[in-house]
Amino acid sequence: MATDKTLVLHDCDANSDDLITNLVLRGSPSLALIGTVITNGLCYVQDGYKTLRAIEHYVGSPEVEVGLWAPEMPNPFPDEWRSDSRRYTQLPFLAQSLGCVRKPQRATDLVRRLLTQANRPVTYVATGPLTVLAEVLRRKPQLAGKIRQVVIMGGALRVKGNVANGQGKVTSVDGSAEWNVYCDPYAFKTVLAYDVPIRLISLDVTNQLPVDKELLERLSGLGKTSRAAHVAAELWKIQADRQIYLWDPTTAMSLIRPDLFRFEYVDIDVQTEGASLGRLIERHPQKGRLVELAVSVDSKRVLESLLAHLA
Ligand SMILES: [Ca+2]
């Protein structure tokens, strides 16, 4: 493996944008994806695993090591959204590839081993709840030294959140939290306590990047010659009736094209109780945990670059 490539571990929850992000991370010449973790966030983990393997086979990508986190989350995503992962397994073009599924590993075992074995620090791209990373660091804090940066899709700092009453089992929230953090705010809090550089791609920037009709049409066009673009178009078509954004792909693009983002260093904390459970709060300098927050994005160029990666 070329030593100039950034080693990447992708910790995801296998919804459409995670699976597309996984393809982008695999395809980027500057990155080397060493493993993938799937948690029971915005998916049912076994369905998510099957789909990830089927996509891998369909696009002809080399197998990566995959670990699963099967326990339920403290604040699960709505079943209605998680059921999308069942619908992906029924996509006709993936039917043949679904036969190629091997037994997965345990997420925490995989992350621990990959970080231990890595010959240089690893970039940990988290596009779901931080449950697995929190668990790994709690048990083996010295592994923090093997992490170059944790790049997280999560939070809403200067905009409102996307967790609302009436979504699944959610009641009594004030709408300030973002789903990935809300799903396991305790894990997020735990990760903040370790000495690892953190980059946050929050709703503050992903709100500028909706998955709209024009994007789907362009992907469908590219899908005539690119299997990766075909996968992206077909996965997102399943969610065409919901307002979704390029949450996770934007997070990957912040790694591949950081020049298209403007970052600020801010001190943050996370609420772990009450109606603002999972909300991220900015603190006065040195009163919170310093993170690198993306505060603006060149959304047009991020979109073009993403499409180029999928073409
Ligand atoms: Ca996700």
Side-chain angles (χ1 to χ4, degrees), residues 271-300:
Q271 296 269 14
T272 50
E273 55 185 19
S276 304
L277 178 68
R279 178 187 184 176
L280 301 191
I281 320 137
E282 277 186 74
R283 294 281 191 215
H284 291 298
Q286 284 147 36
K287 293 258 170 76
R289 166 56 148 89
L290 194 68
V291 300
E292 184 187 29
L293 172 73
V295 292
S296 66
V297 59
D298 184 339
S299 50
K300 234 178 155 165

PDB file of all heavy atoms in Angstrom, residues 271-300:
ATOM      1  N   GLN A 271     -25.249  18.214  24.939  1.00  0.00           N
ATOM      2  CA  GLN A 271     -26.265  18.023  25.992  1.00  0.00           C
ATOM      3  C   GLN A 271     -26.576  16.540  26.115  1.00  0.00           C
ATOM      4  O   GLN A 271     -26.855  15.890  25.099  1.00  0.00           O
ATOM      5  CB  GLN A 271     -27.564  18.733  25.605  1.00  0.00           C
ATOM      6  CG  GLN A 271     -27.452  20.229  25.510  1.00  0.00           C
ATOM      7  CD  GLN A 271     -27.785  20.906  26.821  1.00  0.00           C
ATOM      8  OE1 GLN A 271     -27.849  20.266  27.871  1.00  0.00           O
ATOM      9  NE2 GLN A 271     -27.981  22.211  26.769  1.00  0.00           N
ATOM     10  N   THR A 272     -26.550  16.031  27.332  1.00  0.00           N
ATOM     11  CA  THR A 272     -26.837  14.604  27.504  1.00  0.00           C
ATOM     12  C   THR A 272     -28.113  14.356  28.315  1.00  0.00           C
ATOM     13  O   THR A 272     -28.347  13.254  28.807  1.00  0.00           O
ATOM     14  CB  THR A 272     -25.647  13.864  28.166  1.00  0.00           C
ATOM     15  OG1 THR A 272     -25.267  14.583  29.329  1.00  0.00           O
ATOM     16  CG2 THR A 272     -24.475  13.754  27.215  1.00  0.00           C
ATOM     17  N   GLU A 273     -28.935  15.397  28.458  1.00  0.00           N
ATOM     18  CA  GLU A 273     -30.239  15.186  29.098  1.00  0.00           C
ATOM     19  C   GLU A 273     -31.201  16.313  28.711  1.00  0.00           C
ATOM     20  O   GLU A 273     -30.789  17.325  28.137  1.00  0.00           O
ATOM     21  CB  GLU A 273     -30.094  15.126  30.623  1.00  0.00           C
ATOM     22  CG  GLU A 273     -29.406  16.346  31.189  1.00  0.00           C
ATOM     23  CD  GLU A 273     -29.147  16.225  32.693  1.00  0.00           C
ATOM     24  OE1 GLU A 273     -29.170  15.108  33.224  1.00  0.00           O
ATOM     25  OE2 GLU A 273     -28.947  17.273  33.304  1.00  0.00           O
ATOM     26  N   GLY A 274     -32.465  16.093  29.013  1.00  0.00           N
ATOM     27  CA  GLY A 274     -33.474  17.128  28.798  1.00  0.00           C
ATOM     28  C   GLY A 274     -33.976  17.208  27.365  1.00  0.00           C
ATOM     29  O   GLY A 274     -33.665  16.361  26.516  1.00  0.00           O
ATOM     30  N   ALA A 275     -34.732  18.256  27.099  1.00  0.00           N
ATOM     31  CA  ALA A 275     -35.389  18.412  25.796  1.00  0.00           C
ATOM     32  C   ALA A 275     -34.386  18.698  24.677  1.00  0.00           C
ATOM     33  O   ALA A 275     -34.697  18.524  23.502  1.00  0.00           O
ATOM     34  CB  ALA A 275     -36.415  19.544  25.874  1.00  0.00           C
ATOM     35  N   SER A 276     -33.173  19.159  25.055  1.00  0.00           N
ATOM     36  CA  SER A 276     -32.130  19.418  24.048  1.00  0.00           C
ATOM     37  C   SER A 276     -31.140  18.259  23.953  1.00  0.00           C
ATOM     38  O   SER A 276     -30.012  18.444  23.473  1.00  0.00           O
ATOM     39  CB  SER A 276     -31.362  20.692  24.394  1.00  0.00           C
ATOM     40  OG  SER A 276     -32.231  21.779  24.516  1.00  0.00           O
ATOM     41  N   LEU A 277     -31.549  17.083  24.400  1.00  0.00           N
ATOM     42  CA  LEU A 277     -30.674  15.906  24.359  1.00  0.00           C
ATOM     43  C   LEU A 277     -30.019  15.782  22.981  1.00  0.00           C
ATOM     44  O   LEU A 277     -30.713  15.781  21.960  1.00  0.00           O
ATOM     45  CB  LEU A 277     -31.515  14.650  24.654  1.00  0.00           C
ATOM     46  CG  LEU A 277     -30.789  13.310  24.621  1.00  0.00           C
ATOM     47  CD1 LEU A 277     -29.804  13.203  25.779  1.00  0.00           C
ATOM     48  CD2 LEU A 277     -31.798  12.153  24.703  1.00  0.00           C
ATOM     49  N   GLY A 278     -28.671  15.693  22.990  1.00  0.00           N
ATOM     50  CA  GLY A 278     -27.951  15.543  21.726  1.00  0.00           C
ATOM     51  C   GLY A 278     -27.601  16.852  21.042  1.00  0.00           C
ATOM     52  O   GLY A 278     -26.947  16.852  20.010  1.00  0.00           O
ATOM     53  N   ARG A 279     -28.027  17.967  21.631  1.00  0.00           N
ATOM     54  CA  ARG A 279     -27.699  19.258  21.023  1.00  0.00           C
ATOM     55  C   ARG A 279     -26.220  19.590  21.239  1.00  0.00           C
ATOM     56  O   ARG A 279     -25.689  19.380  22.333  1.00  0.00           O
ATOM     57  CB  ARG A 279     -28.553  20.355  21.662  1.00  0.00           C
ATOM     58  CG  ARG A 279     -28.250  21.727  21.122  1.00  0.00           C
ATOM     59  CD  ARG A 279     -28.995  22.799  21.884  1.00  0.00           C
ATOM     60  NE  ARG A 279     -28.757  24.097  21.273  1.00  0.00           N
ATOM     61  CZ  ARG A 279     -29.323  25.222  21.666  1.00  0.00           C
ATOM     62  NH1 ARG A 279     -30.165  25.216  22.689  1.00  0.00           N
ATOM     63  NH2 ARG A 279     -29.052  26.345  21.069  1.00  0.00           N
ATOM     64  N   LEU A 280     -25.579  20.139  20.221  1.00  0.00           N
ATOM     65  CA  LEU A 280     -24.212  20.631  20.402  1.00  0.00           C
ATOM     66  C   LEU A 280     -24.274  22.116  20.734  1.00  0.00           C
ATOM     67  O   LEU A 280     -25.045  22.859  20.140  1.00  0.00           O
ATOM     68  CB  LEU A 280     -23.380  20.419  19.142  1.00  0.00           C
ATOM     69  CG  LEU A 280     -23.221  18.987  18.641  1.00  0.00           C
ATOM     70  CD1 LEU A 280     -22.160  18.930  17.545  1.00  0.00           C
ATOM     71  CD2 LEU A 280     -22.864  18.024  19.757  1.00  0.00           C
ATOM     72  N   ILE A 281     -23.450  22.518  21.677  1.00  0.00           N
ATOM     73  CA  ILE A 281     -23.461  23.911  22.129  1.00  0.00           C
ATOM     74  C   ILE A 281     -22.057  24.473  21.968  1.00  0.00           C
ATOM     75  O   ILE A 281     -21.070  23.802  22.284  1.00  0.00           O
ATOM     76  CB  ILE A 281     -23.802  23.999  23.635  1.00  0.00           C
ATOM     77  CG1 ILE A 281     -24.901  23.001  23.991  1.00  0.00           C
ATOM     78  CG2 ILE A 281     -24.169  25.411  24.051  1.00  0.00           C
ATOM     79  CD1 ILE A 281     -24.625  22.283  25.269  1.00  0.00           C
ATOM     80  N   GLU A 282     -21.979  25.708  21.497  1.00  0.00           N
ATOM     81  CA  GLU A 282     -20.676  26.374  21.459  1.00  0.00           C
ATOM     82  C   GLU A 282     -20.373  26.932  22.836  1.00  0.00           C
ATOM     83  O   GLU A 282     -21.236  27.535  23.476  1.00  0.00           O
ATOM     84  CB  GLU A 282     -20.702  27.518  20.436  1.00  0.00           C
ATOM     85  CG  GLU A 282     -20.461  27.041  19.016  1.00  0.00           C
ATOM     86  CD  GLU A 282     -20.349  28.183  18.024  1.00  0.00           C
ATOM     87  OE1 GLU A 282     -19.307  28.872  18.020  1.00  0.00           O
ATOM     88  OE2 GLU A 282     -21.314  28.375  17.279  1.00  0.00           O
ATOM     89  N   ARG A 283     -19.158  26.731  23.279  1.00  0.00           N
ATOM     90  CA  ARG A 283     -18.718  27.240  24.581  1.00  0.00           C
ATOM     91  C   ARG A 283     -17.731  28.373  24.369  1.00  0.00           C
ATOM     92  O   ARG A 283     -17.161  28.526  23.288  1.00  0.00           O
ATOM     93  CB  ARG A 283     -18.038  26.124  25.389  1.00  0.00           C
ATOM     94  CG  ARG A 283     -18.967  25.012  25.790  1.00  0.00           C
ATOM     95  CD  ARG A 283     -19.780  25.434  26.985  1.00  0.00           C
ATOM     96  NE  ARG A 283     -20.496  24.309  27.571  1.00  0.00           N
ATOM     97  CZ  ARG A 283     -21.706  24.407  28.114  1.00  0.00           C
ATOM     98  NH1 ARG A 283     -22.334  25.577  28.115  1.00  0.00           N
ATOM     99  NH2 ARG A 283     -22.283  23.371  28.638  1.00  0.00           N
ATOM    100  N   HIS A 284     -17.483  29.115  25.424  1.00  0.00           N
ATOM    101  CA  HIS A 284     -16.425  30.117  25.352  1.00  0.00           C
ATOM    102  C   HIS A 284     -15.099  29.410  25.127  1.00  0.00           C
ATOM    103  O   HIS A 284     -14.922  28.263  25.555  1.00  0.00           O
ATOM    104  CB  HIS A 284     -16.362  30.921  26.660  1.00  0.00           C
ATOM    105  CG  HIS A 284     -17.559  31.805  26.833  1.00  0.00           C
ATOM    106  ND1 HIS A 284     -17.857  32.817  25.956  1.00  0.00           N
ATOM    107  CD2 HIS A 284     -18.536  31.805  27.774  1.00  0.00           C
ATOM    108  CE1 HIS A 284     -18.966  33.410  26.348  1.00  0.00           C
ATOM    109  NE2 HIS A 284     -19.405  32.812  27.445  1.00  0.00           N
ATOM    110  N   PRO A 285     -14.135  30.103  24.469  1.00  0.00           N
ATOM    111  CA  PRO A 285     -12.839  29.470  24.224  1.00  0.00           C
ATOM    112  C   PRO A 285     -12.267  28.856  25.498  1.00  0.00           C
ATOM    113  O   PRO A 285     -12.318  29.459  26.564  1.00  0.00           O
ATOM    114  CB  PRO A 285     -11.982  30.623  23.708  1.00  0.00           C
ATOM    115  CG  PRO A 285     -12.970  31.553  23.067  1.00  0.00           C
ATOM    116  CD  PRO A 285     -14.224  31.434  23.887  1.00  0.00           C
ATOM    117  N   GLN A 286     -11.782  27.649  25.328  1.00  0.00           N
ATOM    118  CA  GLN A 286     -11.162  26.872  26.412  1.00  0.00           C
ATOM    119  C   GLN A 286     -12.129  26.390  27.493  1.00  0.00           C
ATOM    120  O   GLN A 286     -11.720  25.819  28.489  1.00  0.00           O
ATOM    121  CB  GLN A 286     -10.003  27.642  27.041  1.00  0.00           C
ATOM    122  CG  GLN A 286      -8.768  27.598  26.129  1.00  0.00           C
ATOM    123  CD  GLN A 286      -7.932  28.838  26.193  1.00  0.00           C
ATOM    124  OE1 GLN A 286      -7.794  29.429  27.244  1.00  0.00           O
ATOM    125  NE2 GLN A 286      -7.389  29.245  25.070  1.00  0.00           N
ATOM    126  N   LYS A 287     -13.428  26.577  27.275  1.00  0.00           N
ATOM    127  CA  LYS A 287     -14.409  26.063  28.252  1.00  0.00           C
ATOM    128  C   LYS A 287     -15.099  24.801  27.714  1.00  0.00           C
ATOM    129  O   LYS A 287     -15.940  24.227  28.384  1.00  0.00           O
ATOM    130  CB  LYS A 287     -15.462  27.140  28.544  1.00  0.00           C
ATOM    131  CG  LYS A 287     -14.905  28.356  29.281  1.00  0.00           C
ATOM    132  CD  LYS A 287     -15.263  28.286  30.758  1.00  0.00           C
ATOM    133  CE  LYS A 287     -14.536  29.318  31.586  1.00  0.00           C
ATOM    134  NZ  LYS A 287     -15.070  30.669  31.460  1.00  0.00           N
ATOM    135  N   GLY A 288     -14.781  24.440  26.491  1.00  0.00           N
ATOM    136  CA  GLY A 288     -15.390  23.238  25.921  1.00  0.00           C
ATOM    137  C   GLY A 288     -14.307  22.390  25.291  1.00  0.00           C
ATOM    138  O   GLY A 288     -13.159  22.424  25.705  1.00  0.00           O
ATOM    139  N   ARG A 289     -14.696  21.649  24.279  1.00  0.00           N
ATOM    140  CA  ARG A 289     -13.751  20.787  23.571  1.00  0.00           C
ATOM    141  C   ARG A 289     -13.515  21.411  22.204  1.00  0.00           C
ATOM    142  O   ARG A 289     -14.454  21.607  21.450  1.00  0.00           O
ATOM    143  CB  ARG A 289     -14.369  19.398  23.470  1.00  0.00           C
ATOM    144  CG  ARG A 289     -13.699  18.469  22.484  1.00  0.00           C
ATOM    145  CD  ARG A 289     -12.211  18.315  22.793  1.00  0.00           C
ATOM    146  NE  ARG A 289     -11.746  16.996  22.425  1.00  0.00           N
ATOM    147  CZ  ARG A 289     -11.280  16.687  21.209  1.00  0.00           C
ATOM    148  NH1 ARG A 289     -11.214  17.600  20.267  1.00  0.00           N
ATOM    149  NH2 ARG A 289     -10.876  15.469  20.968  1.00  0.00           N
ATOM    150  N   LEU A 290     -12.237  21.690  21.894  1.00  0.00           N
ATOM    151  CA  LEU A 290     -11.905  22.345  20.634  1.00  0.00           C
ATOM    152  C   LEU A 290     -12.106  21.379  19.455  1.00  0.00           C
ATOM    153  O   LEU A 290     -11.580  20.269  19.466  1.00  0.00           O
ATOM    154  CB  LEU A 290     -10.453  22.826  20.672  1.00  0.00           C
ATOM    155  CG  LEU A 290     -10.053  23.807  19.581  1.00  0.00           C
ATOM    156  CD1 LEU A 290     -10.759  25.148  19.762  1.00  0.00           C
ATOM    157  CD2 LEU A 290      -8.537  24.008  19.574  1.00  0.00           C
ATOM    158  N   VAL A 291     -12.891  21.817  18.475  1.00  0.00           N
ATOM    159  CA  VAL A 291     -13.061  21.015  17.257  1.00  0.00           C
ATOM    160  C   VAL A 291     -12.939  21.935  16.040  1.00  0.00           C
ATOM    161  O   VAL A 291     -13.103  23.146  16.146  1.00  0.00           O
ATOM    162  CB  VAL A 291     -14.439  20.293  17.200  1.00  0.00           C
ATOM    163  CG1 VAL A 291     -14.622  19.350  18.367  1.00  0.00           C
ATOM    164  CG2 VAL A 291     -15.600  21.277  17.110  1.00  0.00           C
ATOM    165  N   GLU A 292     -12.662  21.299  14.915  1.00  0.00           N
ATOM    166  CA  GLU A 292     -12.606  22.033  13.649  1.00  0.00           C
ATOM    167  C   GLU A 292     -13.990  21.927  13.002  1.00  0.00           C
ATOM    168  O   GLU A 292     -14.402  20.839  12.598  1.00  0.00           O
ATOM    169  CB  GLU A 292     -11.532  21.390  12.756  1.00  0.00           C
ATOM    170  CG  GLU A 292     -11.295  22.094  11.460  1.00  0.00           C
ATOM    171  CD  GLU A 292     -10.349  21.297  10.551  1.00  0.00           C
ATOM    172  OE1 GLU A 292     -10.320  20.055  10.648  1.00  0.00           O
ATOM    173  OE2 GLU A 292      -9.648  21.914   9.751  1.00  0.00           O
ATOM    174  N   LEU A 293     -14.687  23.045  12.943  1.00  0.00           N
ATOM    175  CA  LEU A 293     -16.056  23.048  12.428  1.00  0.00           C
ATOM    176  C   LEU A 293     -16.091  23.635  11.021  1.00  0.00           C
ATOM    177  O   LEU A 293     -15.577  24.732  10.797  1.00  0.00           O
ATOM    178  CB  LEU A 293     -16.943  23.896  13.359  1.00  0.00           C
ATOM    179  CG  LEU A 293     -18.365  24.180  12.877  1.00  0.00           C
ATOM    180  CD1 LEU A 293     -19.240  22.938  12.965  1.00  0.00           C
ATOM    181  CD2 LEU A 293     -18.998  25.324  13.693  1.00  0.00           C
ATOM    182  N   ALA A 294     -16.710  22.916  10.089  1.00  0.00           N
ATOM    183  CA  ALA A 294     -16.919  23.496   8.756  1.00  0.00           C
ATOM    184  C   ALA A 294     -18.030  24.526   8.878  1.00  0.00           C
ATOM    185  O   ALA A 294     -19.135  24.195   9.297  1.00  0.00           O
ATOM    186  CB  ALA A 294     -17.293  22.407   7.759  1.00  0.00           C
ATOM    187  N   VAL A 295     -17.728  25.780   8.554  1.00  0.00           N
ATOM    188  CA  VAL A 295     -18.732  26.837   8.703  1.00  0.00           C
ATOM    189  C   VAL A 295     -19.308  27.291   7.361  1.00  0.00           C
ATOM    190  O   VAL A 295     -20.366  27.900   7.325  1.00  0.00           O
ATOM    191  CB  VAL A 295     -18.179  28.067   9.472  1.00  0.00           C
ATOM    192  CG1 VAL A 295     -17.924  27.709  10.920  1.00  0.00           C
ATOM    193  CG2 VAL A 295     -16.932  28.621   8.810  1.00  0.00           C
ATOM    194  N   SER A 296     -18.601  26.999   6.276  1.00  0.00           N
ATOM    195  CA  SER A 296     -19.204  27.271   4.975  1.00  0.00           C
ATOM    196  C   SER A 296     -18.620  26.318   3.947  1.00  0.00           C
ATOM    197  O   SER A 296     -17.577  25.682   4.176  1.00  0.00           O
ATOM    198  CB  SER A 296     -19.010  28.729   4.559  1.00  0.00           C
ATOM    199  OG  SER A 296     -17.649  28.993   4.352  1.00  0.00           O
ATOM    200  N   VAL A 297     -19.328  26.219   2.835  1.00  0.00           N
ATOM    201  CA  VAL A 297     -18.948  25.226   1.828  1.00  0.00           C
ATOM    202  C   VAL A 297     -19.241  25.793   0.440  1.00  0.00           C
ATOM    203  O   VAL A 297     -20.222  26.521   0.257  1.00  0.00           O
ATOM    204  CB  VAL A 297     -19.738  23.914   2.074  1.00  0.00           C
ATOM    205  CG1 VAL A 297     -21.250  24.144   2.014  1.00  0.00           C
ATOM    206  CG2 VAL A 297     -19.354  22.825   1.101  1.00  0.00           C
ATOM    207  N   ASP A 298     -18.379  25.464  -0.504  1.00  0.00           N
ATOM    208  CA  ASP A 298     -18.646  25.800  -1.904  1.00  0.00           C
ATOM    209  C   ASP A 298     -19.497  24.649  -2.446  1.00  0.00           C
ATOM    210  O   ASP A 298     -18.983  23.680  -3.021  1.00  0.00           O
ATOM    211  CB  ASP A 298     -17.310  25.922  -2.659  1.00  0.00           C
ATOM    212  CG  ASP A 298     -17.489  26.369  -4.099  1.00  0.00           C
ATOM    213  OD1 ASP A 298     -18.610  26.196  -4.637  1.00  0.00           O
ATOM    214  OD2 ASP A 298     -16.517  26.858  -4.689  1.00  0.00           O
ATOM    215  N   SER A 299     -20.813  24.766  -2.238  1.00  0.00           N
ATOM    216  CA  SER A 299     -21.677  23.602  -2.468  1.00  0.00           C
ATOM    217  C   SER A 299     -21.673  23.166  -3.940  1.00  0.00           C
ATOM    218  O   SER A 299     -21.727  21.977  -4.240  1.00  0.00           O
ATOM    219  CB  SER A 299     -23.096  23.880  -1.986  1.00  0.00           C
ATOM    220  OG  SER A 299     -23.556  25.092  -2.496  1.00  0.00           O
ATOM    221  N   LYS A 300     -21.584  24.120  -4.832  1.00  0.00           N
ATOM    222  CA  LYS A 300     -21.592  23.780  -6.257  1.00  0.00           C
ATOM    223  C   LYS A 300     -20.402  22.899  -6.630  1.00  0.00           C
ATOM    224  O   LYS A 300     -20.537  21.886  -7.309  1.00  0.00           O
ATOM    225  CB  LYS A 300     -21.527  25.086  -7.067  1.00  0.00           C
ATOM    226  CG  LYS A 300     -22.640  25.183  -8.065  1.00  0.00           C
ATOM    227  CD  LYS A 300     -22.596  26.484  -8.806  1.00  0.00           C
ATOM    228  CE  LYS A 300     -23.289  26.264 -10.130  1.00  0.00           C
ATOM    229  NZ  LYS A 300     -23.615  27.482 -10.801  1.00  0.00           N
TER     230      LYS A 300
END
